Amino acid sequence: MPDITFTNAPAHVAIIMDGNGRWANARGLPRTMGHRKGVEAVRGAVKTAAELGIRYLTLFAFSSENWSRPEDEVSDLMGLLKSFVRRDLADLHRENVRIRVIGDRTNLSGDILPLLLEAEETTIANTGITLVIAFNYGARDELARAMRRLAEEVADGRLTPSDITAERIAETIDTAGIPDPDLILRTSGEERLSNFLLWQGAYSELLFIPELWPDFTRETFIAAIEKYSGRERRFGGLPQPTLAVGS
């Protein structure tokens, strides 16, 4: 497979994987079949991201609001997560993928949390792409949990209010140690962040693509990175002038 290089490739891509249910409905299939097809797209996305030299890939796997879905659908999603970890962990570990899990870990069912911890601990020393799985995650909840921890430190006298800076908050939220995403993608044509990486995405490029998540292919991913590469990121400032050759 030929190498693909970009002059302005993102180091961190985050994806809101949307459209599994609609993919299934359009084919007269149960929603659960869309989720199963979506897992195949996850495998392909991780492989493609590694091939493209992306260092971090964050996937919005299950939001803190998804618990309100029908019980049988939630049960199937939990089953898919368990199956993914049990089936794919060895392969990801062998391919030098490191796994990080973000989201609220309290009150998770007894068999889910050990699996997530196993995935993190098994791959902790790996040096390839970092796959960040956002599970039971909501950005507002993440910030609220971080603010409570900082408030507790202030109450205990370990921190003063003036110590609470943007940098300190970044060190307290779930993604501590992970660079902010350069690019946030959402599939299915919906154009909103849906409570995903609100702090981290302050300067991210946003790209909304029409494909439903199960239809997300290597070619779709490459096309998205090509669009990103053509954008100019200024972070609130002015672009730096490019000097002419020989000047």
Side-chain angles (χ1 to χ4, degrees):
M1 189 175 294
D3 291 335
I4 297 176
T5 58
F6 297 96
T7 57
N8 181 31
H12 183 178
V13 176
I15 304 179
I16 301 171
M17 305 179 293
D18 194 19
N20 290 343
R22 274 168 284 174
W23 183 92
N25 290 339
R27 290 161 176 77
L29 300 171
R31 288 176 60 86
T32 54
M33 293 303 297
H35 296 310
R36 294 178 188 277
K37 185 69 174 178
V39 171
E40 296 178 18
V42 166
R43 295 187 181 106
V46 175
K47 181 178 180 181
T48 300
E51 290 174 355
L52 296 178
I54 294 167
R55 298 298 301 162
Y56 296 85
L57 177 66
T58 297
L59 301 178
F60 202 1
F62 191 84
S63 81
S64 52
E65 289 83 16
N66 286 157
W67 296 108
S68 63
R69 291 188 177 188
E71 185 176 345
D72 58 343
E73 183 173 349
V74 171
S75 177
D76 189 70
L77 286 168
M78 294 303 103
L80 286 174
L81 173 68
K82 297 173 192 176
S83 176
F84 177 79
V85 173
R86 290 169 180 152
R87 172 180 171 180
D88 292 70
L89 180 56
D91 289 339
L92 293 170
H93 185 38
R94 186 164 49 249
E95 293 165 6
N96 202 27
V97 176
R98 182 180 180 185
I99 296 175
R100 284 274 303 269
V101 180
I102 62 173
D104 187 2
R105 302 186 183 194
T106 58
N107 301 320
L108 289 180
S109 62
D111 55 347
I112 290 291
L113 184 57
L115 278 176
L116 298 178
L117 294 175
E118 177 188 359
E120 288 188 314
E121 292 167 2
T122 299
T123 62
I124 193 169
N126 290 348
T127 57
I129 185 173
T130 296
L131 173 61
V132 184
I133 301 174
F135 180 81
N136 195 28
Y137 175 86
R140 288 181 174 180
D141 172 73
E142 173 190 33
L143 290 171
R145 287 186 284 107
M147 295 307 104
R148 283 196 295 271
R149 286 195 292 270
L150 292 172
E152 288 168 358
E153 291 188 41
V154 171
D156 292 342
R158 292 176 285 137
L159 201 66
T160 66
S162 61
D163 292 328
I164 301 177
T165 61
E167 290 74 20
R168 188 59 180 261
I169 293 172
E171 294 167 359
T172 308
I173 56 179
D174 294 355
T175 53
I178 299 173
D180 293 339
D182 302 294
L183 172 64
I184 297 177
L185 291 174
R186 181 171 186 152
T187 58
S188 86
E190 302 290 351
E191 299 186 0
R192 55 182 177 272
L193 292 178
S194 295
N195 201 20
F196 182 54
L197 300 180
L198 299 182
W199 176 276
Q200 300 88 337
Y203 284 103
S204 300
E205 293 294 315
L206 306 179
L207 185 58
F208 304 101
I209 61 178
E211 289 85 354
L212 302 174
W213 177 247
D215 294 325
F216 190 87
T217 64
R218 182 175 186 273
E219 291 70 28
T220 311
F221 206 161
I222 291 172
I225 302 304
E226 286 176 340
K227 288 184 179 179
Y228 167 87
S229 297
R231 295 186 179 182
E232 185 180 74
R233 305 185 72 202
R234 296 189 291 274
F235 300 94
L238 296 175
Q240 295 297 315
T242 301
L243 295 178
V245 176
S247 61

Short mmCIF file of all heavy atoms in Angstrom, two decimals, residues 16-76:
data_model
loop_
_atom_site.label_atom_id
_atom_site.label_comp_id
_atom_site.label_asym_id
_atom_site.label_seq_id
_atom_site.Cartn_x
_atom_site.Cartn_y
_atom_site.Cartn_z
N ILE A 16 -16.81 11.96 16.09
CA ILE A 16 -18.16 11.65 16.59
C ILE A 16 -18.75 10.66 15.60
O ILE A 16 -19.10 11.02 14.47
CB ILE A 16 -19.01 12.91 16.71
CG1 ILE A 16 -18.35 13.93 17.64
CG2 ILE A 16 -20.42 12.57 17.20
CD1 ILE A 16 -19.02 15.29 17.66
N MET A 17 -18.85 9.41 16.01
CA MET A 17 -19.25 8.34 15.10
C MET A 17 -20.79 8.25 15.08
O MET A 17 -21.40 7.56 15.86
CB MET A 17 -18.65 7.01 15.57
CG MET A 17 -17.14 7.05 15.74
SD MET A 17 -16.47 5.48 16.34
CE MET A 17 -17.16 5.41 18.00
N ASP A 18 -21.39 8.96 14.15
CA ASP A 18 -22.84 9.12 14.14
C ASP A 18 -23.45 8.43 12.93
O ASP A 18 -22.86 8.44 11.84
CB ASP A 18 -23.19 10.60 14.13
CG ASP A 18 -24.64 10.87 14.45
OD1 ASP A 18 -25.29 9.98 15.03
OD2 ASP A 18 -25.13 11.97 14.13
N GLY A 19 -24.63 7.84 13.12
CA GLY A 19 -25.38 7.33 11.97
C GLY A 19 -25.58 5.83 11.93
O GLY A 19 -26.12 5.31 10.94
N ASN A 20 -25.17 5.10 12.97
CA ASN A 20 -25.34 3.65 12.95
C ASN A 20 -26.82 3.26 12.81
O ASN A 20 -27.17 2.38 12.01
CB ASN A 20 -24.78 3.02 14.22
CG ASN A 20 -23.27 3.09 14.29
OD1 ASN A 20 -22.60 3.31 13.29
ND2 ASN A 20 -22.73 2.90 15.48
N GLY A 21 -27.67 3.91 13.61
CA GLY A 21 -29.09 3.57 13.57
C GLY A 21 -29.73 3.89 12.24
O GLY A 21 -30.51 3.10 11.70
N ARG A 22 -29.39 5.05 11.69
CA ARG A 22 -29.96 5.44 10.41
C ARG A 22 -29.48 4.53 9.29
O ARG A 22 -30.22 4.23 8.34
CB ARG A 22 -29.61 6.90 10.11
CG ARG A 22 -30.58 7.90 10.71
CD ARG A 22 -30.06 9.31 10.64
NE ARG A 22 -29.03 9.54 11.65
CZ ARG A 22 -28.32 10.65 11.74
NH1 ARG A 22 -28.49 11.62 10.86
NH2 ARG A 22 -27.42 10.81 12.70
N TRP A 23 -28.23 4.08 9.38
CA TRP A 23 -27.70 3.14 8.39
C TRP A 23 -28.54 1.87 8.39
O TRP A 23 -28.90 1.35 7.33
CB TRP A 23 -26.24 2.83 8.72
CG TRP A 23 -25.55 1.94 7.74
CD1 TRP A 23 -24.83 2.31 6.64
CD2 TRP A 23 -25.51 0.50 7.78
NE1 TRP A 23 -24.34 1.21 5.98
CE2 TRP A 23 -24.75 0.08 6.66
CE3 TRP A 23 -26.03 -0.46 8.63
CZ2 TRP A 23 -24.50 -1.27 6.39
CZ3 TRP A 23 -25.80 -1.80 8.36
CH2 TRP A 23 -25.04 -2.20 7.25
N ALA A 24 -28.84 1.38 9.59
CA ALA A 24 -29.63 0.15 9.70
C ALA A 24 -31.07 0.38 9.23
O ALA A 24 -31.64 -0.44 8.49
CB ALA A 24 -29.60 -0.35 11.14
N ASN A 25 -31.67 1.49 9.65
CA ASN A 25 -33.06 1.78 9.28
C ASN A 25 -33.23 1.87 7.76
O ASN A 25 -34.23 1.41 7.20
CB ASN A 25 -33.53 3.08 9.93
CG ASN A 25 -33.69 2.95 11.43
OD1 ASN A 25 -33.85 1.85 11.96
ND2 ASN A 25 -33.64 4.07 12.13
N ALA A 26 -32.23 2.47 7.11
CA ALA A 26 -32.31 2.63 5.65
C ALA A 26 -32.29 1.28 4.93
O ALA A 26 -32.72 1.19 3.77
CB ALA A 26 -31.16 3.50 5.16
N ARG A 27 -31.82 0.26 5.62
CA ARG A 27 -31.72 -1.08 5.02
C ARG A 27 -32.74 -2.05 5.60
O ARG A 27 -32.68 -3.25 5.33
CB ARG A 27 -30.29 -1.61 5.23
CG ARG A 27 -29.27 -0.86 4.39
CD ARG A 27 -27.85 -1.04 4.90
NE ARG A 27 -26.90 -0.38 4.01
CZ ARG A 27 -26.70 0.93 3.98
NH1 ARG A 27 -27.37 1.72 4.81
NH2 ARG A 27 -25.83 1.45 3.15
N GLY A 28 -33.65 -1.51 6.41
CA GLY A 28 -34.66 -2.36 7.01
C GLY A 28 -34.11 -3.33 8.03
O GLY A 28 -34.70 -4.40 8.26
N LEU A 29 -33.01 -2.96 8.67
CA LEU A 29 -32.35 -3.83 9.64
C LEU A 29 -32.54 -3.30 11.05
O LEU A 29 -32.80 -2.11 11.24
CB LEU A 29 -30.85 -3.92 9.33
CG LEU A 29 -30.46 -4.46 7.95
CD1 LEU A 29 -28.96 -4.28 7.72
CD2 LEU A 29 -30.83 -5.94 7.84
N PRO A 30 -32.39 -4.13 12.06
CA PRO A 30 -32.43 -3.64 13.43
C PRO A 30 -31.28 -2.67 13.68
O PRO A 30 -30.21 -2.78 13.08
CB PRO A 30 -32.26 -4.92 14.28
CG PRO A 30 -32.57 -6.05 13.36
CD PRO A 30 -32.20 -5.59 11.98
N ARG A 31 -31.49 -1.71 14.58
CA ARG A 31 -30.45 -0.74 14.90
C ARG A 31 -29.16 -1.42 15.38
O ARG A 31 -28.07 -0.92 15.14
CB ARG A 31 -30.96 0.23 15.97
CG ARG A 31 -32.00 1.22 15.48
CD ARG A 31 -32.53 2.07 16.63
NE ARG A 31 -31.49 2.84 17.27
CZ ARG A 31 -31.07 4.05 16.86
NH1 ARG A 31 -31.62 4.60 15.78
NH2 ARG A 31 -30.12 4.70 17.50
N THR A 32 -29.34 -2.56 16.04
CA THR A 32 -28.15 -3.26 16.54
C THR A 32 -27.21 -3.66 15.40
O THR A 32 -26.00 -3.70 15.59
CB THR A 32 -28.56 -4.51 17.33
OG1 THR A 32 -29.41 -5.33 16.51
CG2 THR A 32 -29.30 -4.13 18.60
N MET A 33 -27.76 -3.94 14.23
CA MET A 33 -26.91 -4.30 13.09
C MET A 33 -26.09 -3.10 12.65
O MET A 33 -24.95 -3.26 12.19
CB MET A 33 -27.77 -4.82 11.94
CG MET A 33 -28.46 -6.14 12.23
SD MET A 33 -27.27 -7.44 12.68
CE MET A 33 -26.32 -7.55 11.15
N GLY A 34 -26.65 -1.90 12.78
CA GLY A 34 -25.87 -0.71 12.46
C GLY A 34 -24.70 -0.55 13.40
O GLY A 34 -23.60 -0.18 12.99
N HIS A 35 -24.92 -0.82 14.69
CA HIS A 35 -23.83 -0.72 15.66
C HIS A 35 -22.74 -1.75 15.37
O HIS A 35 -21.55 -1.46 15.50
CB HIS A 35 -24.37 -0.91 17.07
CG HIS A 35 -25.33 0.18 17.50
ND1 HIS A 35 -25.03 1.52 17.36
CD2 HIS A 35 -26.57 0.10 18.06
CE1 HIS A 35 -26.06 2.23 17.81
NE2 HIS A 35 -26.99 1.41 18.23
N ARG A 36 -23.15 -2.95 14.99
CA ARG A 36 -22.17 -3.98 14.68
C ARG A 36 -21.34 -3.60 13.45
O ARG A 36 -20.12 -3.81 13.41
CB ARG A 36 -22.87 -5.33 14.45
CG ARG A 36 -23.54 -5.86 15.72
CD ARG A 36 -24.28 -7.16 15.48
NE ARG A 36 -25.05 -7.52 16.66
CZ ARG A 36 -24.54 -8.15 17.71
NH1 ARG A 36 -23.27 -8.49 17.71
NH2 ARG A 36 -25.30 -8.42 18.77
N LYS A 37 -22.01 -3.05 12.45
CA LYS A 37 -21.28 -2.58 11.27
C LYS A 37 -20.37 -1.41 11.64
O LYS A 37 -19.27 -1.26 11.08
CB LYS A 37 -22.29 -2.15 10.20
CG LYS A 37 -21.66 -1.74 8.87
CD LYS A 37 -21.06 -2.93 8.15
CE LYS A 37 -20.57 -2.51 6.75
NZ LYS A 37 -19.94 -3.63 6.03
N GLY A 38 -20.81 -0.61 12.59
CA GLY A 38 -19.99 0.51 13.04
C GLY A 38 -18.70 0.06 13.69
O GLY A 38 -17.66 0.74 13.57
N VAL A 39 -18.72 -1.07 14.38
CA VAL A 39 -17.49 -1.60 14.98
C VAL A 39 -16.46 -1.93 13.91
O VAL A 39 -15.25 -1.71 14.08
CB VAL A 39 -17.79 -2.84 15.85
CG1 VAL A 39 -16.51 -3.52 16.31
CG2 VAL A 39 -18.62 -2.44 17.06
N GLU A 40 -16.92 -2.45 12.77
CA GLU A 40 -16.00 -2.72 11.66
C GLU A 40 -15.36 -1.42 11.17
O GLU A 40 -14.17 -1.39 10.84
CB GLU A 40 -16.75 -3.39 10.51
CG GLU A 40 -17.31 -4.76 10.85
CD GLU A 40 -18.08 -5.37 9.69
OE1 GLU A 40 -17.88 -4.91 8.54
OE2 GLU A 40 -18.88 -6.29 9.94
N ALA A 41 -16.14 -0.34 11.14
CA ALA A 41 -15.59 0.95 10.73
C ALA A 41 -14.57 1.45 11.73
O ALA A 41 -13.58 2.11 11.35
CB ALA A 41 -16.72 1.97 10.57
N VAL A 42 -14.76 1.15 13.01
CA VAL A 42 -13.78 1.52 14.03
C VAL A 42 -12.44 0.85 13.74
O VAL A 42 -11.38 1.50 13.76
CB VAL A 42 -14.28 1.13 15.44
CG1 VAL A 42 -13.13 1.21 16.46
CG2 VAL A 42 -15.41 2.04 15.88
N ARG A 43 -12.48 -0.43 13.45
CA ARG A 43 -11.23 -1.16 13.17
C ARG A 43 -10.50 -0.52 11.99
O ARG A 43 -9.29 -0.33 12.02
CB ARG A 43 -11.54 -2.62 12.88
CG ARG A 43 -12.12 -3.38 14.08
CD ARG A 43 -12.24 -4.86 13.79
NE ARG A 43 -12.80 -5.55 14.95
CZ ARG A 43 -14.05 -6.02 15.01
NH1 ARG A 43 -14.86 -5.88 13.96
NH2 ARG A 43 -14.50 -6.63 16.09
N GLY A 44 -11.25 -0.19 10.95
CA GLY A 44 -10.63 0.42 9.78
C GLY A 44 -10.07 1.79 10.07
O GLY A 44 -9.00 2.15 9.58
N ALA A 45 -10.79 2.58 10.88
CA ALA A 45 -10.33 3.94 11.20
C ALA A 45 -9.03 3.92 11.99
O ALA A 45 -8.13 4.73 11.75
CB ALA A 45 -11.41 4.68 11.98
N VAL A 46 -8.91 2.99 12.94
CA VAL A 46 -7.67 2.90 13.72
C VAL A 46 -6.50 2.53 12.82
O VAL A 46 -5.42 3.12 12.90
CB VAL A 46 -7.84 1.86 14.85
CG1 VAL A 46 -6.51 1.67 15.59
CG2 VAL A 46 -8.92 2.29 15.83
N LYS A 47 -6.73 1.59 11.94
CA LYS A 47 -5.66 1.16 11.02
C LYS A 47 -5.25 2.30 10.10
O LYS A 47 -4.05 2.56 9.90
CB LYS A 47 -6.14 -0.03 10.20
CG LYS A 47 -5.10 -0.56 9.22
CD LYS A 47 -5.62 -1.78 8.47
CE LYS A 47 -4.58 -2.31 7.49
NZ LYS A 47 -5.11 -3.49 6.73
N THR A 48 -6.23 3.01 9.54
CA THR A 48 -5.92 4.11 8.63
C THR A 48 -5.20 5.24 9.35
O THR A 48 -4.24 5.81 8.83
CB THR A 48 -7.21 4.64 7.98
OG1 THR A 48 -7.83 3.58 7.25
CG2 THR A 48 -6.91 5.79 7.04
N ALA A 49 -5.67 5.58 10.55
CA ALA A 49 -5.02 6.65 11.31
C ALA A 49 -3.56 6.33 11.57
O ALA A 49 -2.69 7.20 11.44
CB ALA A 49 -5.76 6.87 12.64
N ALA A 50 -3.27 5.09 11.91
CA ALA A 50 -1.88 4.69 12.15
C ALA A 50 -1.06 4.80 10.86
O ALA A 50 0.08 5.27 10.87
CB ALA A 50 -1.84 3.27 12.70
N GLU A 51 -1.65 4.38 9.75
CA GLU A 51 -0.95 4.47 8.46
C GLU A 51 -0.64 5.91 8.10
O GLU A 51 0.40 6.21 7.49
CB GLU A 51 -1.81 3.84 7.36
CG GLU A 51 -1.94 2.34 7.44
CD GLU A 51 -2.91 1.80 6.41
OE1 GLU A 51 -3.55 2.62 5.70
OE2 GLU A 51 -3.05 0.57 6.31
N LEU A 52 -1.54 6.84 8.46
CA LEU A 52 -1.36 8.24 8.09
C LEU A 52 -0.44 8.99 9.06
O LEU A 52 -0.19 10.18 8.86
CB LEU A 52 -2.73 8.94 8.04
CG LEU A 52 -3.71 8.41 6.98
CD1 LEU A 52 -5.04 9.16 7.08
CD2 LEU A 52 -3.12 8.56 5.58
N GLY A 53 0.02 8.32 10.09
CA GLY A 53 0.92 8.97 11.04
C GLY A 53 0.21 9.81 12.08
O GLY A 53 0.86 10.62 12.77
N ILE A 54 -1.10 9.66 12.21
CA ILE A 54 -1.83 10.36 13.26
C ILE A 54 -1.43 9.77 14.60
O ILE A 54 -1.41 8.55 14.76
CB ILE A 54 -3.36 10.24 13.01
CG1 ILE A 54 -3.73 10.99 11.72
CG2 ILE A 54 -4.16 10.75 14.20
CD1 ILE A 54 -5.11 10.67 11.21
N ARG A 55 -1.10 10.61 15.57
CA ARG A 55 -0.60 10.12 16.85
C ARG A 55 -1.70 9.81 17.85
O ARG A 55 -1.54 8.96 18.72
CB ARG A 55 0.36 11.17 17.46
CG ARG A 55 1.58 11.45 16.63
CD ARG A 55 2.43 10.21 16.46
NE ARG A 55 2.86 9.67 17.74
CZ ARG A 55 3.31 8.42 17.91
NH1 ARG A 55 3.36 7.59 16.88
NH2 ARG A 55 3.70 8.00 19.10
N TYR A 56 -2.83 10.50 17.75
CA TYR A 56 -3.94 10.29 18.67
C TYR A 56 -5.24 10.23 17.87
O TYR A 56 -5.50 11.08 17.01
CB TYR A 56 -4.05 11.43 19.69
CG TYR A 56 -2.86 11.54 20.62
CD1 TYR A 56 -1.73 12.25 20.25
CD2 TYR A 56 -2.88 10.93 21.88
CE1 TYR A 56 -0.64 12.36 21.08
CE2 TYR A 56 -1.79 11.04 22.73
CZ TYR A 56 -0.67 11.75 22.32
OH TYR A 56 0.42 11.84 23.16
N LEU A 57 -6.05 9.22 18.17
CA LEU A 57 -7.37 9.09 17.57
C LEU A 57 -8.38 8.91 18.70
O LEU A 57 -8.31 7.93 19.45
CB LEU A 57 -7.43 7.89 16.63
CG LEU A 57 -8.81 7.60 15.99
CD1 LEU A 57 -9.21 8.73 15.04
CD2 LEU A 57 -8.80 6.26 15.26
N THR A 58 -9.28 9.88 18.85
CA THR A 58 -10.29 9.81 19.90
C THR A 58 -11.64 9.49 19.27
O THR A 58 -12.07 10.16 18.33
CB THR A 58 -10.38 11.14 20.68
OG1 THR A 58 -9.14 11.38 21.34
CG2 THR A 58 -11.49 11.09 21.72
N LEU A 59 -12.31 8.48 19.80
CA LEU A 59 -13.60 8.04 19.28
C LEU A 59 -14.66 8.18 20.35
O LEU A 59 -14.50 7.69 21.48
CB LEU A 59 -13.51 6.57 18.82
CG LEU A 59 -12.47 6.26 17.73
CD1 LEU A 59 -12.47 4.77 17.42
CD2 LEU A 59 -12.71 7.08 16.47
N PHE A 60 -15.77 8.85 19.99
CA PHE A 60 -16.88 9.04 20.91
C PHE A 60 -17.72 7.77 20.87
O PHE A 60 -18.63 7.62 20.06
CB PHE A 60 -17.71 10.25 20.47
CG PHE A 60 -18.54 10.87 21.55
CD1 PHE A 60 -18.54 10.37 22.84
CD2 PHE A 60 -19.34 11.97 21.28
CE1 PHE A 60 -19.31 10.95 23.85
CE2 PHE A 60 -20.12 12.57 22.27
CZ PHE A 60 -20.11 12.05 23.55
N ALA A 61 -17.41 6.83 21.78
CA ALA A 61 -18.01 5.51 21.72
C ALA A 61 -19.37 5.43 22.40
O ALA A 61 -20.28 4.76 21.90
CB ALA A 61 -17.06 4.49 22.37
N PHE A 62 -19.51 6.12 23.54
CA PHE A 62 -20.76 6.04 24.29
C PHE A 62 -20.85 7.25 25.19
O PHE A 62 -19.98 7.48 26.03
CB PHE A 62 -20.79 4.75 25.13
CG PHE A 62 -22.14 4.45 25.73
CD1 PHE A 62 -23.11 3.77 24.99
CD2 PHE A 62 -22.45 4.82 27.02
CE1 PHE A 62 -24.35 3.48 25.54
CE2 PHE A 62 -23.68 4.53 27.58
CZ PHE A 62 -24.64 3.85 26.84
N SER A 63 -21.88 8.05 25.00
CA SER A 63 -22.00 9.28 25.77
C SER A 63 -22.75 9.03 27.07
O SER A 63 -23.47 8.03 27.22
CB SER A 63 -22.72 10.37 24.96
OG SER A 63 -24.11 10.19 25.02
N SER A 64 -22.59 9.95 28.00
CA SER A 64 -23.29 9.83 29.28
C SER A 64 -24.79 9.98 29.08
O SER A 64 -25.58 9.58 29.95
CB SER A 64 -22.77 10.88 30.27
OG SER A 64 -22.80 12.18 29.70
N GLU A 65 -25.23 10.52 27.93
CA GLU A 65 -26.65 10.64 27.64
C GLU A 65 -27.22 9.38 26.97
O GLU A 65 -28.44 9.20 26.90
CB GLU A 65 -26.92 11.84 26.73
CG GLU A 65 -26.75 13.19 27.39
CD GLU A 65 -25.30 13.66 27.42
OE1 GLU A 65 -24.48 13.10 26.66
OE2 GLU A 65 -24.99 14.57 28.22
N ASN A 66 -26.34 8.51 26.47
CA ASN A 66 -26.82 7.32 25.74
C ASN A 66 -27.53 6.31 26.64
O ASN A 66 -28.21 5.41 26.12
CB ASN A 66 -25.66 6.63 25.02
CG ASN A 66 -25.19 7.37 23.79
OD1 ASN A 66 -24.05 7.20 23.36
ND2 ASN A 66 -26.04 8.20 23.21
N TRP A 67 -27.38 6.44 27.96
CA TRP A 67 -28.08 5.52 28.86
C TRP A 67 -29.60 5.65 28.73
O TRP A 67 -30.34 4.73 29.13
CB TRP A 67 -27.66 5.77 30.30
CG TRP A 67 -26.22 5.52 30.58
CD1 TRP A 67 -25.24 6.44 30.81
CD2 TRP A 67 -25.57 4.24 30.65
NE1 TRP A 67 -24.02 5.83 31.02
CE2 TRP A 67 -24.19 4.48 30.93
CE3 TRP A 67 -26.00 2.92 30.52
CZ2 TRP A 67 -23.27 3.46 31.06
CZ3 TRP A 67 -25.07 1.89 30.65
CH2 TRP A 67 -23.72 2.16 30.92
N SER A 68 -30.07 6.76 28.17
CA SER A 68 -31.52 6.96 28.04
C SER A 68 -32.10 6.22 26.84
O SER A 68 -33.31 6.22 26.64
CB SER A 68 -31.83 8.45 27.92
OG SER A 68 -31.24 9.00 26.74
N ARG A 69 -31.24 5.58 26.04
CA ARG A 69 -31.75 4.82 24.89
C ARG A 69 -32.48 3.56 25.38
O ARG A 69 -32.34 3.17 26.54
CB ARG A 69 -30.59 4.45 23.97
CG ARG A 69 -29.97 5.64 23.26
CD ARG A 69 -28.96 5.23 22.22
NE ARG A 69 -28.44 6.38 21.49
CZ ARG A 69 -27.66 6.29 20.42
NH1 ARG A 69 -27.33 5.10 19.94
NH2 ARG A 69 -27.23 7.38 19.82
N PRO A 70 -33.23 2.91 24.49
CA PRO A 70 -33.94 1.68 24.90
C PRO A 70 -32.99 0.67 25.54
O PRO A 70 -31.83 0.54 25.12
CB PRO A 70 -34.52 1.16 23.58
CG PRO A 70 -34.68 2.38 22.73
CD PRO A 70 -33.53 3.27 23.10
N GLU A 71 -33.48 -0.02 26.55
CA GLU A 71 -32.64 -0.92 27.33
C GLU A 71 -31.96 -1.98 26.48
O GLU A 71 -30.78 -2.31 26.69
CB GLU A 71 -33.48 -1.59 28.42
CG GLU A 71 -32.67 -2.44 29.37
CD GLU A 71 -33.53 -3.02 30.50
OE1 GLU A 71 -34.66 -2.53 30.68
OE2 GLU A 71 -33.06 -3.94 31.18
N ASP A 72 -32.69 -2.53 25.49
CA ASP A 72 -32.08 -3.58 24.67
C ASP A 72 -30.96 -3.04 23.80
O ASP A 72 -29.95 -3.72 23.56
CB ASP A 72 -33.13 -4.27 23.81
CG ASP A 72 -33.88 -3.32 22.89
OD1 ASP A 72 -33.83 -2.09 23.13
OD2 ASP A 72 -34.51 -3.79 21.92
N GLU A 73 -31.09 -1.77 23.36
CA GLU A 73 -30.02 -1.18 22.55
C GLU A 73 -28.79 -0.91 23.41
O GLU A 73 -27.66 -1.16 22.98
CB GLU A 73 -30.50 0.12 21.90
CG GLU A 73 -29.46 0.75 20.99
CD GLU A 73 -29.98 1.95 20.22
OE1 GLU A 73 -31.20 2.19 20.22
OE2 GLU A 73 -29.16 2.67 19.61
N VAL A 74 -29.00 -0.40 24.63
CA VAL A 74 -27.87 -0.17 25.53
C VAL A 74 -27.17 -1.48 25.84
O VAL A 74 -25.93 -1.56 25.85
CB VAL A 74 -28.34 0.52 26.83
CG1 VAL A 74 -27.21 0.56 27.86
CG2 VAL A 74 -28.84 1.93 26.54
N SER A 75 -27.95 -2.53 26.08
CA SER A 75 -27.38 -3.84 26.38
C SER A 75 -26.54 -4.35 25.22
O SER A 75 -25.45 -4.90 25.40
CB SER A 75 -28.50 -4.83 26.69
OG SER A 75 -27.98 -6.12 26.91
N ASP A 76 -27.02 -4.13 24.00
CA ASP A 76 -26.27 -4.57 22.82
C ASP A 76 -24.98 -3.77 22.68
O ASP A 76 -23.92 -4.33 22.34
CB ASP A 76 -27.12 -4.43 21.57
CG ASP A 76 -26.46 -5.08 20.36
OD1 ASP A 76 -26.40 -6.32 20.32
OD2 ASP A 76 -25.99 -4.34 19.47
#
